[in-house]
Amino acid sequence: MRALSEIEKISLTAVLKMETDALIMQRATDTLISDEDLKRLSQSSLLATEGRVKAIQQFLIENKVIAVEEE
């Protein structure tokens, strides 16, 4: 795989930030939902967003865009 340009790295980190912000908002909103059908829909959306965040994080780690501190 080719090396990522600086603008690609910045774009990826911006997408990750947007997705994590959306996840925070979804979690907060999910607690307010009382309708069971809407709650299931919200929870599946939460799982999808969590999957996207994890995939982006993994991509950034594998391509050494972000460093991971080992304990």
Side-chain angles (χ1 to χ4, degrees):
M1 183 174 173
R2 69 176 178 79
L4 298 174
S5 69
E6 287 303 311
I7 192 68
E8 289 170 324
K9 292 177 185 179
I10 292 168
S11 294
L12 281 169
T13 54
V15 168
L16 180 59
K17 172 90 171 96
M18 288 187 303
E19 288 288 348
T20 54
D21 289 347
L23 184 58
I24 291 167
M25 290 299 295
Q26 282 180 303
R27 285 184 179 149
T29 304
D30 189 60
T31 61
L32 304 173
I33 298 172
S34 58
D35 181 70
E36 288 303 314
D37 290 334
L38 190 55
K39 185 82 160 179
R40 277 194 301 275
L41 182 63
S42 175
Q43 289 173 349
S44 68
S45 176
L46 274 169
L47 289 173
T49 304
E50 287 172 349
R52 285 192 303 274
V53 167
K54 288 177 184 175
I56 294 168
Q57 288 173 331
Q58 186 64 34
F59 180 85
L60 292 173
I61 290 167
E62 287 174 358
N63 290 281
K64 297 178 178 61
V65 175
I66 56 175
V68 179
E69 292 182 18
E70 294 184 26
E71 294 179 29

